[in-house]
Amino acid sequence: MEITDKMVAKTATKLSAEDIQKGKVLSVKWTPNLKYAWDNGPALGRYLAELKNGRIIAKKCNKCHRILIPPRMFCELCWVPTGEWVYVKDTGIVNTWVISYVDWKAGRLDIKGGVRPFTPAVIEIDGATKGMGILHLLNEVDPWKIYRGMRVKAVWKPPEERIGAITDIKYFKPVE
Amino acid sequence: MTKRVAIVGIGTTGFRATTPDVSYRELTYEAAMKAYLDAGIEPKDVDSFVSTAEDFFEGYSIADEYSPDQLGAVLKPIYTVPGDFIHSLASAYMMILSGIGPISVVQGLSKASNMLTLSEMVTFAMDPIYNRPLKESPHAVAGLEMARFMYETGTTREQIAQVVVKNRRNALTNPYAGHGVLVDIDYVLNSEVVSYPLTQMDIAPHSDGAVVVVLAEEETAKALTDKPIWIRGIGWCSDTPGLETRNWGEAVYAQIAAEMAYKMAGIRYPRKEIDFAEVNDEFSYKELQHLEAMRIFRKGEAGAFTAMGGTEINGEFPVNPSGGCLGVGNLYELNGGLKVLEVVRQLRGEAGKNQIKNVTTGLAQSWRGIPTATGTVVILSN
Ligand SMILES: [Zn+2]
């Protein structure tokens, strides 16, 4: 049976935006309280502790000889426990980047009003195996002048502000 | 005739209230390493993987994407089942039967200690229009069911308390269990009331841990191990989610899942043809309710049989020799994994002090917990 406009008018209740705003329609609001305290384990734990020290640490796989960053307790490709801890540099090159006009909640940035676009980038870290690195942000650079292979260096928060988090590095900036 | 499939490898970390020294990655890695060693395989030999995860329990959305590394499953066929471990086992079993390849792997994990607002996570599973506005505790749902079960079957609180006494005692001699303790019936009855008739001791405390199981098709299984544990029947079933309309006295989901497994296994008289069972006991009364639903006991008889010691390790029909969820810990989506692990250990004769004598067939049953009415059953033979 085809549903006609006439049938809709007879049987349906039309809602306006106002009806919803004024609470004339049942609405359920529920803010879920979901809290977690994740155990870091030895690899992520040491990685974060070293960020607090202003250093980046990796771990070596003695089978494929990759220097793995972020460090892990086992090599996911060789399926063996990883070997020694290795400090890597806080410099590297840009693998890929983006000039983002929206924030993480998909809200528009006021670019015309002078807000700088976000420039997330994957940085291949010096001392780690090629292709391994950190997803972070670029700054102190004209977004339109970033290029693939650009050399960059971490800009750290002052030691007293570091908490053992990826944000202990504020961003990466170009180096000559 | 359908191909036969066996469990050829098991691995676990064991289960503890907290595991602050490792992340979920190392937890699964340890269980997987042990399972592959047990089966005599490497991850490269595996044709398909199935992991088990619930996003809200892990604290990630699309948590399944975090499964491959610690299983050795990077760039291999893998998917995640957001259900019970035995759902995943069924999936892995079907992959072998459907010809994906002779070896598949099942993984499950609990990091329950990392969930700080566990009760609110479970409440969030309730219907937002019908139920959530009433702000019931999830344990109220268990209390409602326990009250109806007692009414319909004549089961007493003392009989139900005996389940707690037995399971937590069994856990003392299971090196994998985290909550073994010696208590008596009075201690259980007099523990703090949560949702009367449910007391604190009737509720399984949570545990962390991981289980990995390796399955293989008959020919491969025989080549890999002298002790294949055959999957003879498997079943799963869900009742309506409606708390308003479901059957509160009987676990119909367990009954239908069991009948599905019995049919596949050719079992007509479960009590006679099965030697022991590991059943879901996240709440003490659930053990009795599940046993009756699965025709191991007639309605109203499981409690009396338990009170007389019939379900002890040396009893006529041992139930939860591992210590169950009450003694090992509530592992959420991994609960079925604990059950399968124990049935395999028993059938291999590797259950140590908790070993039941002369067992050839065991049943593992699980339930997805409050507020679900979803159950899984697998029947295994040596
Ligand atoms: Zn490697």
Side-chain angles (χ1 to χ4, degrees):
Chain A
M1 186 174 66
E2 198 192 336
I3 296 169
T4 63
D5 287 350
K6 215 173 173 182
M7 285 160 66
V8 171
K10 254 190 173 173
T11 56
T13 308
K14 284 189 181 169
L15 287 178
S16 67
E18 202 189 345
D19 290 336
I20 294 167
Q21 281 152 11
K22 284 194 174 167
K24 287 183 182 172
V25 180
L26 173 68
S27 66
V28 177
K29 283 187 186 167
W30 192 275
T31 309
N33 181 19
L34 309 173
K35 289 196 180 125
Y36 306 87
W38 295 298
D39 298 314
N40 288 325
L44 178 56
R46 174 100 191 254
Y47 180 59
L48 296 176
E50 291 290 359
L51 288 174
K52 196 173 178 183
N53 294 332
R55 296 187 292 214
I56 301 173
I57 200 160
K59 224 167 179 290
K60 192 179 170 191
C61 172
N62 287 326
K63 197 166 178 192
C64 65
H65 306 293
R66 289 189 304 164
I67 308 287
L68 304 156
I69 174 177
R72 57 212 74 170
M73 297 311 290
F74 50 88
C75 175
E76 74 281 8
L77 297 182
C78 304
W79 190 250
V80 292
T82 48
E84 64 266 35
W85 296 92
V86 184
Y87 287 110
V88 291
K89 300 220 168 79
D90 69 347
T91 56
I93 60 166
V94 173
N95 173 308
T96 184
W97 81 102
V98 71
I99 300 171
S100 179
Y101 280 40
V102 289
D103 65 19
W104 69 286
K105 288 180 174 173
R108 287 243 146 237
L109 296 172
D110 185 12
I111 304 293
K112 280 183 185 159
V115 173
R116 185 187 181 280
F118 278 123
T119 46
V122 176
I123 320 290
E124 294 183 4
I125 293 292
D126 291 334
T129 295
K130 186 160 173 48
M132 308 211 87
I134 294 179
L135 171 65
H136 218 286
L137 301 165
L138 295 174
N139 213 328
E140 291 189 46
V141 58
D142 179 344
W144 298 101
K145 295 202 169 148
I146 298 167
Y147 58 94
R148 196 162 289 109
M150 186 166 80
R151 293 209 56 78
V152 293
K153 182 176 170 48
V155 176
W156 295 84
K157 281 184 180 167
E160 64 278 11
E161 286 178 26
R162 291 183 210 140
I163 57 166
I166 190 71
T167 47
D168 288 350
I169 296 173
K170 290 204 283 189
Y171 50 80
F172 284 78
K173 69 170 190 182
V175 283
E176 291 75 39
Chain B
M1 200 183 115
T2 316
K3 273 191 276 193
R4 292 214 298 164
V5 175
I7 292 175
V8 296
I10 51 171
T12 185
T13 54
F15 311 99
R16 289 289 178 271
T18 62
T19 45
D21 52 329
V22 285
S23 75
Y24 70 88
R25 296 178 182 91
E26 292 95 47
L27 214 49
T28 287
Y29 180 61
E30 181 187 336
M33 232 183 343
K34 288 175 175 171
Y36 301 159
L37 181 72
D38 188 40
I41 61 160
E42 292 178 44
K44 67 174 169 57
D45 304 322
V46 179
D47 301 294
S48 57
F49 299 81
V50 183
S51 64
T52 320
E54 299 267 14
D55 287 4
F56 281 114
F57 291 165
E58 320 307 325
Y60 296 50
S61 53
I62 324 180
D64 44 303
E65 285 298 301
Y66 295 84
S67 301
D69 293 29
Q70 49 274 19
L71 273 175
V74 173
L75 299 175
K76 302 267 274 185
I78 179 168
Y79 61 67
T80 299
V81 172
D84 180 73
F85 183 94
I86 296 173
H87 283 121
S88 299
L89 187 77
S91 224
Y93 174 61
M94 289 189 283
M95 277 201 238
I96 292 176
L97 294 186
S98 60
I100 298 292
I103 299 179
S104 57
V105 161
V106 188
Q107 176 267 5
L109 171 89
S110 169
K111 259 289 191 182
S113 68
N114 287 188
M115 300 186 260
L116 299 184
T117 53
L118 204 44
S119 183
E120 286 170 85
M121 284 171 204
V122 178
T123 303
F124 199 50
M126 301 223 248
D127 186 279
I129 311 293
Y130 293 124
N131 309 133
R132 242 190 274 157
L134 301 169
K135 299 194 170 146
E136 301 119 334
S137 143
H139 289 147
V141 177
L144 287 165
E145 192 180 52
M146 182 175 178
R148 183 77 202 185
F149 168 70
M150 289 170 67
Y151 165 74
E152 284 188 15
T153 58
T155 306
T156 65
R157 280 192 67 212
E158 286 73 14
Q159 290 168 342
I160 292 171
Q162 183 58 34
V163 172
V164 182
V165 172
K166 167 181 71 75
N167 290 2
R168 296 201 64 161
R169 180 170 11 83
N170 286 352
L172 276 174
T173 41
N174 175 2
Y176 292 142
H179 296 282
V181 67
L182 274 184
V183 290
D184 59 16
I185 288 176
D186 283 341
Y187 186 89
V188 178
L189 293 177
N190 295 323
S191 74
E192 221 173 349
V193 174
V194 177
S195 283
Y196 190 87
L198 194 75
T199 70
Q200 196 60 50
M201 286 295 290
D202 288 307
I203 303 170
H206 62 64
S207 275
D208 294 354
V211 173
V212 172
V213 164
V214 182
L215 305 184
E217 160 280 324
E218 181 160 12
E219 212 173 298
T220 309
K222 285 178 174 166
L224 285 172
T225 177
D226 297 335
K227 291 180 180 176
I229 303 299
W230 302 102
I231 296 178
R232 291 195 38 215
I234 194 159
W236 60 96
C237 176
S238 292
D239 200 343
T240 167
L243 295 177
E244 292 75 12
T245 45
R246 72 167 58 151
N247 185 329
W248 285 88
E250 297 174 319
V252 185
Y253 57 86
Q255 178 204 325
I256 294 172
E259 294 302 340
M260 179 175 165
Y262 294 156
K263 191 177 169 196
M264 197 183 297
I267 287 175
R268 292 175 64 196
Y269 306 102
R271 172 77 174 278
K272 284 196 183 127
E273 295 171 65
I274 296 169
D275 301 312
F276 70 103
E278 278 279 324
V279 305
N280 189 293
D281 57 330
E282 279 175 61
F283 301 98
S284 52
Y285 72 92
K286 288 302 259 184
E287 174 167 317
L288 306 177
Q289 190 194 33
H290 286 145
L291 289 168
E292 292 176 6
M294 296 191 291
R295 286 199 289 126
I296 309 276
F297 297 104
R298 273 198 289 270
K299 206 170 159 175
E301 288 184 357
F305 196 81
T306 301
M308 291 187 305
T311 56
E312 300 283 347
I313 288 169
N314 57 7
E316 194 187 313
F317 191 93
V319 177
N320 287 331
S322 70
C325 302
L326 288 161
V328 175
N330 186 350
L331 303 161
Y332 296 83
E333 65 266 43
L334 179 60
N335 277 330
L338 153 68
K339 305 302 184 190
V340 170
L341 179 80
E342 180 66 14
V343 172
V344 172
R345 290 173 73 231
Q346 291 284 352
L347 292 173
R348 281 179 173 184
E350 295 173 356
K353 285 184 176 169
N354 291 14
Q355 183 65 48
I356 308 163
K357 290 190 183 77
N358 305 322
V359 281
T360 56
T361 299
L363 178 149
Q365 181 263 345
S366 198
W367 165 58
R368 281 187 78 197
I370 298 288
T372 83
T374 289
T376 56
V377 173
V378 62
I379 292 157
L380 301 168
S381 286
N382 56 18

